[in-house]
Amino acid sequence: MGYSRWVLADLQVHTPADFHQKYGDVGGPSPNAAFAETLIKTHADAGVSVIVVTDHNTLAWYPELAAAGRRHGVVVFPGIEFNANKCHLMAIWDCTDDGYRRGQQFLSHLFPPNSPPALTERREPNPTTVGSPLDLVKIAAQTYGALVLAPHSTAKDIGLFARNVCNTSAQIAQSGYVAGFDVWGNEGADVLRNPRSQFGEHRPAWFISGDVRDLETVGQRAVYLKLGTPPTLESLRQAFLMPDQRIRFPEHHRTKFGRVPGLQFLDGTDPTWPRLNRVCVTGGFHDGLTIDLGPGLNAIIGGKGAGKSTTIEIVRHACAAPEPKTDDNRNNRVANFSANATATLGVVTADQQRYEITRSGDDTPPQLLRNGLDTGIDVSRRFSVSVYGQRELALLADDQKGLRQFLAISADPNLAAAHAEQERCLRELEATNTDLGKLDAALARSADSEEKLKDVRDQLEVAGQHGAEQHVAASRELTAVQAEVSAAKTWLEGVGPLAEQLRSATGRPAVREHDAVPPALISAAVEAESTIRAAVDTILDAVRLGLGRIEPAVEEHQALVQARRHQINVALADAGLTNPDELARLQRTAADLERAVAKVPAQRQRLDELHAVHSDQIEELRVARRAISQLLQTAAANLTATVGGRVRVIVQPQADRTDLQNLLTQLLAGKNVRGDQVAKLANSSPAVLVAALKSTAEQLVKLGVSENTAAKLHALTAGKVRQIEQCDTPDHIVVEINLSDTEQPRWLDVRKVSPGQKATAMLSLALVTGSNPLIIDQPEDDLDNRYIYDQVVRQLADVSNRRQVIVATHNPNIPILGDAEMILALDATIDKSRVVACGAIDEPQVADAARQILEGGDKAFRDRARRYRAAN
């Protein structure tokens, strides 16, 4: 079983059994497999997947056609066309043995024994004589369970609404026994333009059928019906109960029938919008859940704790949609979709590419797969969903950032380009601000260098006036003399140790007496040793004598140096120097400062250039932001027009000063500036505020702040002023709802109305905003049932024709009257959710689950209906 979907159906197909058939020689009027195969294959080739065989007064061909249909994927329903008092009618039964049997029983009712036969000898159909058209449609519907239709209802001589055919046509049209009325026949018939003439307050379910009698016309007058999978008689019945949602004429019929009120046209059945087509969960509370989703409206129903909200939060998590705005929704998913659980979503993107998204219950990012292989692409670049958990739509009304993002969804695609332009401007401004900051710092250092250079030059000038250079030279010469005297003394002090080393080296090695050693060698060594020792003694005596004489002279030298040094230091102090090295340091410092100061003109020129660039970039940023504002304003106007009179969206251009006020609070932190002063400043635009900052304190006072605050503002650095200059003041979005029931509107800001009225407005906007899948958890929580029926259901039905909507709900109006393509009914034990039923409402199991969950069961539903009837 699956969701309901569009199929091309022909509800009136004749066989060779028809007296007026034009198929040619196909083996006679009796059923044969060969022609059944041909007829069915021709329909399949034409894209027709559902047909009703409606020969006049016979069901003979149904078994053969049904068998051929099963081979070619064409569902064949049994039916008959009959006429009473010239009026042609059709009865259709389910494509089952029981349906076929019921059809035969009804045919026997139409032509009982002793009445004219169903077909003449020439196989022409006889009219029935057992009752009036009104009696027969009632009997067919109530007694024999048929779906009754009026074929070619405006056709001359045979159509229900043709002149002089049926004098009870209005009664039949309003009886409820005839489900649908074929427009084919007289396209200028009054009933097509003015259905009230026959239907009164009832709304007709128009359709078109082929009345096929030859292969050349197969599929030409087929109609699109939204039917369950597989189609059943209940599917057909639901289509005619909900014609606005389930019946569409092929586009090529618009020229002929476009002026018939209520008709809708469809150019192909394949959805063209992004959508989820499957959700699979392993592990966690929803272990084993596997559902196929329809491209339109899908409803998740179940009792409290069955897992409706968790299902939505799993999809949100898997698609990496923005996190829930409430802790309850966030905790719901964390508690029921554990870290070892996995969700796999089948998705179709806006360009109709198919992917899978898989994500576990932990914080690991989702993977985007194509053909089972990881693409490595971020999910958000290919697919997104708009998710509103319980109460989140109401919270959106108070969230300015969220409202702007919400509005951007339905804005012109150029909005993305405008935002990209804004980001480009901000990146370039960031680079320029960095350069300006460096130049500001460099020029600040240069300014300090200029002051230091003046001081150093003054010190050098004073030193020069007092002959500092001559005194420094004398000091340096005195230092050199000191070094020479010290070296002389050090030399003499070093000779003694050398002489002692020489004494140690004169120890003569012993040489034994031997006949191989001449006596002269030993005597020569002894004599040399004696002479060297005498020389060493002489040297040591000379050293002691020299030191005795030089030390007093050194002391006298030191006294002279000290006196001379004192004279030099006094002279240097008069020149403003603390020591001789100070002059060289000052000279080096002066050279360094002169090089730094020499760069100032070029730096100032570069600063002027950067300021000009910065001004241009600020203007480009303002242009980009104005473009964003204009596009949002257009989007707001379009949204207002789409919603239509009940809700409107107003854009107050660049009026949200929250970011500016926060920035000013940050920049003035610790300066004892009161909050009311900051708020007054934030009332001005950044451009006005910066102009005042660059002017005088009086200009700031004119903006409403005190002189004290103005002084503190003037102390802000250039970098902080630039932060203010590029601060964003985005649009302020106001959503208003019309609370008047008269022609005179009464608009109120949704932030000032009741929760129900607020939810009403935000739900209306959410339904028409964007084209990506819209997922809402229990939108009815703050809404009254009357509004759900009057507004939400109508909007859901309309929006679901061009956008996928998934709603978790416990309100029966949404899935039933909204005609959900797929209803997922959930129940749960303590630790696990389970699927009770899944599919279209056409399926008995789904319908039963919906009655039990949404209505409290058949008895409760009947008891309420009885009470309502009693009250009337």
Side-chain angles (χ1 to χ4, degrees):
M1 298 298 180
Y3 57 87
S4 58
R5 63 195 74 197
W6 291 109
V7 300
L8 193 58
D10 197 322
L11 304 181
Q12 190 180 15
V13 175
H14 294 284
T15 73
D18 187 86
F19 179 76
H20 298 288
Q21 68 93 4
K22 299 177 183 178
Y23 295 115
D25 184 8
V26 293
S30 298
N32 66 82
F35 183 71
E37 184 83 7
T38 298
L39 184 59
I40 290 297
K41 187 175 185 305
T42 303
H43 279 87
D45 291 345
V48 178
S49 58
V50 171
I51 68 168
V52 182
V53 53
T54 55
D55 284 326
H56 285 270
N57 300 348
T58 178
L59 288 151
W61 273 81
Y62 168 71
E64 286 288 0
L65 290 172
R70 287 190 288 272
R71 291 191 292 272
H72 290 278
V74 176
V75 177
V76 181
F77 288 88
I80 59 170
E81 185 173 357
F82 63 96
N83 62 307
N85 298 340
K86 299 191 296 184
C87 178
H88 283 217
L89 297 164
M90 289 194 307
I92 303 170
W93 291 272
D94 213 345
C95 48
T96 62
D97 291 343
D98 182 63
Y100 181 45
R101 179 182 57 80
R102 284 171 173 257
Q104 291 172 318
Q105 290 174 341
F106 179 67
L107 188 57
S108 296
H109 177 92
L110 292 177
F111 301 97
N114 302 320
S115 70
L119 299 172
T120 68
E121 292 182 0
R122 297 178 57 198
R123 302 193 65 82
E124 293 180 283
N126 277 319
T128 182
T129 59
V130 298
S132 69
L134 182 58
D135 292 335
L136 290 174
V137 296
K138 180 178 180 180
I139 291 170
Q142 289 192 335
T143 305
Y144 295 97
L147 179 70
V148 182
L149 304 177
H152 38 71
S153 65
T154 65
K156 182 180 179 181
D157 298 332
I158 57 174
L160 175 65
F161 300 122
R163 183 177 298 179
N164 300 322
V165 170
C166 183
N167 58 11
T168 59
S169 59
Q171 290 176 274
I172 292 174
Q174 298 175 41
S175 69
Y177 299 124
V178 178
F181 303 85
D182 187 355
V183 298
W184 192 259
N186 176 14
E187 59 198 67
D190 178 68
V191 69
L192 296 179
R193 307 289 187 269
N194 179 27
R196 290 174 63 89
S197 64
Q198 292 287 327
F199 291 91
E201 297 302 319
H202 292 76
R203 186 170 182 180
W206 297 116
F207 73 100
I208 190 169
S209 67
D211 203 4
V212 174
R213 287 181 170 87
D214 62 82
L215 296 177
E216 286 71 24
T217 60
V218 165
Q220 292 183 8
R221 297 209 312 255
V223 67
Y224 287 118
L225 301 177
K226 184 178 282 187
L227 305 178
T229 307
T232 62
L233 185 67
E234 182 60 27
S235 295
L236 294 174
R237 196 186 312 278
Q238 291 290 335
F240 286 101
L241 284 172
M242 306 289 287
D244 287 349
Q245 285 77 46
R246 292 201 177 205
I247 300 178
R248 296 288 186 274
F249 280 46
E251 185 63 33
H252 64 84
H253 287 303
R254 185 185 293 273
T255 302
K256 183 171 289 189
F257 297 106
R259 290 178 293 175
V260 177
L263 289 194
Q264 299 182 70
F265 298 86
L266 187 64
D267 188 11
T269 60
D270 292 333
T272 58
W273 50 90
R275 57 201 181 274
L276 288 151
N277 55 27
R278 173 165 282 208
V279 175
C280 300
V281 180
T282 56
F285 187 66
H286 282 69
D287 184 33
L289 175 68
T290 298
I291 54 173
D292 292 329
L293 296 167
L297 176 61
N298 300 265
I300 306 173
I301 63 174
K304 186 175 178 62
K308 303 186 302 295
S309 297
T310 302
T311 305
I312 283 178
E313 293 305 327
I314 288 173
V315 174
R316 185 204 301 257
H317 177 71
C319 293
E323 284 290 309
K325 291 182 171 59
T326 67
D327 289 338
D328 287 346
N329 292 337
R330 187 180 303 106
N331 295 339
N332 183 334
R333 193 265 302 169
V334 173
N336 294 304
F337 186 59
S338 54
N340 61 354
T342 302
T344 302
L345 312 182
V347 303
V348 181
T349 62
D351 59 357
Q352 302 306 294
Q353 298 298 311
R354 294 180 179 270
Y355 294 91
E356 278 190 344
I357 299 171
T358 181
R359 191 177 191 183
S360 60
D362 57 20
D363 293 330
T364 305
Q367 289 180 296
L368 185 69
L369 310 177
R370 186 203 289 273
N371 299 324
L373 300 176
D374 186 2
T375 63
I377 300 172
D378 189 84
V379 168
S380 63
R381 296 182 66 86
R382 291 289 184 270
F383 189 78
S384 67
V385 293
S386 294
V387 184
Y388 298 98
Q390 292 184 41
R391 311 287 179 173
E392 287 187 356
L393 271 174
L395 294 175
L396 180 62
D398 301 306
D399 178 7
Q400 278 297 309
K401 183 177 180 181
L403 278 174
R404 286 190 292 270
Q405 293 173 341
F406 179 82
L407 197 56
I409 294 173
S410 59
D412 188 285
N414 288 329
L415 181 64
H419 276 294
E421 175 65 8
Q422 176 183 239
E423 293 304 312
R424 181 194 66 78
C425 292
L426 288 171
R427 287 194 301 272
E428 292 183 356
L429 272 168
E430 182 179 0
T432 302
N433 287 337
T434 299
D435 291 343
L436 281 169
K438 291 177 180 177
L439 267 178
D440 285 340
L443 282 168
R445 291 192 299 270
S446 296
D448 185 52
S449 295
E450 288 178 328
E451 293 300 318
K452 288 181 178 178
L453 181 58
K454 291 178 183 178
D455 180 58
V456 169
R457 283 175 173 170
D458 182 67
Q459 293 182 57
L460 287 173
E461 184 177 353
V462 171
Q465 291 174 353
H466 288 80
E469 290 188 1
Q470 293 87 346
H471 298 312
V472 168
S475 176
R476 289 175 179 167
E477 185 177 2
L478 188 60
T479 299
V481 169
Q482 277 185 289
E484 292 170 358
V485 169
S486 177
K489 181 183 178 184
T490 299
W491 166 76
L492 188 57
E493 288 173 338
V495 171
L498 290 174
E500 291 295 343
Q501 291 178 9
L502 184 60
R503 185 192 297 278
S504 298
T506 57
R508 176 176 58 82
V511 179
R512 68 181 69 185
E513 293 182 359
H514 191 273
D515 57 2
V517 178
L521 185 147
I522 294 174
S523 62
V526 170
E527 183 178 351
E529 179 184 14
S530 176
T531 302
I532 291 170
R533 287 184 178 276
V536 169
D537 291 338
T538 301
I539 291 171
L540 289 174
D541 289 340
V543 168
R544 284 192 290 274
L545 177 62
L547 288 175
R549 295 171 60 188
I550 202 171
E551 285 178 352
V554 168
E555 291 178 2
E556 181 181 358
H557 162 74
Q558 291 173 343
L560 291 172
V561 166
Q562 185 176 1
R564 181 61 182 146
R565 182 72 70 191
H566 176 71
Q567 294 174 351
I568 293 172
N569 289 340
V570 170
L572 289 174
D574 291 340
L577 303 176
T578 57
N579 59 64
D581 294 335
E582 185 72 13
L583 179 63
R585 188 190 66 76
L586 286 174
Q587 290 171 334
R588 287 194 302 271
T589 299
D592 292 340
L593 291 173
E594 284 170 353
R595 283 192 293 272
V597 170
K599 298 177 182 178
V600 169
Q603 289 173 333
R604 293 192 185 282
Q605 180 179 352
R606 178 58 180 158
L607 184 66
D608 291 341
E609 292 171 354
L610 283 177
H611 277 149
V613 170
H614 184 267
S615 295
D616 291 343
Q617 290 172 341
I618 286 291
E619 181 56 30
E620 289 178 358
L621 179 62
R622 289 171 181 162
V623 169
R625 285 173 172 167
R626 284 196 295 271
I628 291 172
S629 177
Q630 291 163 2
L631 289 166
L632 288 180
Q633 200 159 20
T634 300
N638 291 338
L639 267 182
T640 300
T642 303
V643 174
R646 181 69 171 171
V647 181
R648 68 182 182 185
V649 184
I650 300 171
V651 172
Q652 297 174 346
Q654 302 180 358
D656 187 350
R657 302 300 168 83
T658 305
D659 291 347
L660 179 59
Q661 186 166 341
N662 290 340
L663 176 61
L664 290 170
T665 300
Q666 174 189 334
L667 296 180
L668 294 170
K671 298 184 183 296
N672 295 323
V673 176
R674 299 195 314 270
D676 65 309
Q677 295 280 284
V678 174
K680 288 179 179 179
L681 287 169
N683 286 332
S684 300
S685 68
V688 170
L689 188 53
V690 169
L693 283 167
K694 292 179 178 179
S695 182
T696 60
E698 288 77 7
Q699 296 301 316
L700 288 169
V701 172
K702 289 181 180 179
L703 298 181
V705 299
S706 66
E707 293 182 357
N708 184 38
T709 298
K712 292 173 180 177
L713 283 165
H714 261 291
L716 292 176
T717 64
K720 292 181 177 180
V721 172
R722 287 193 289 271
Q723 283 183 261
I724 296 171
E725 193 169 19
Q726 68 186 56
C727 183
D728 192 14
T729 54
D731 297 338
H732 184 80
I733 312 298
V734 178
V735 178
E736 294 184 339
I737 185 170
N738 179 15
L739 299 182
S740 174
D741 292 328
T742 67
E743 293 183 0
Q744 185 63 33
R746 182 165 68 92
W747 295 100
L748 282 179
D749 190 323
V750 294
R751 294 171 297 178
K752 301 176 181 178
V753 299
S754 70
Q757 292 163 337
K758 179 187 294 186
T760 294
M762 300 315 299
L763 178 58
S764 294
L765 292 175
L767 287 172
V768 299
T769 300
S771 61
N772 61 338
L774 174 64
I775 305 174
I776 310 177
D777 191 2
Q778 295 179 201
E780 70 274 11
D781 282 354
D782 288 321
L783 304 176
D784 60 72
N785 273 337
R786 179 181 176 185
Y787 173 72
I788 292 173
Y789 179 75
D790 290 344
Q791 299 290 329
V792 175
V793 168
R794 176 183 58 80
Q795 287 182 314
L796 278 172
D798 178 57
V799 169
S800 297
N801 289 323
R802 58 183 180 275
R803 183 183 192 186
Q804 186 179 56
V805 181
I806 303 170
V807 181
T809 182
H810 47 65
N811 187 292
N813 289 323
I814 291 176
I816 307 305
L817 299 184
D819 193 34
E821 294 176 350
M822 190 281 294
I823 297 176
L824 170 65
L826 297 176
D827 197 2
T829 59
I830 294 177
D831 59 353
K832 190 174 187 303
S833 177
R834 69 182 183 88
V835 176
V836 176
C838 183
I841 192 67
D842 315 14
E843 300 171 20
Q845 186 179 9
V846 175
D848 182 64
R851 283 194 299 273
Q852 296 297 324
I853 293 170
L854 300 175
E855 307 286 1
D858 287 342
K859 185 176 184 302
F861 182 70
R862 289 194 299 270
D863 287 349
R864 283 198 302 275
R866 185 171 63 252
R867 293 292 301 276
Y868 291 140
R869 286 195 297 271
N872 290 327

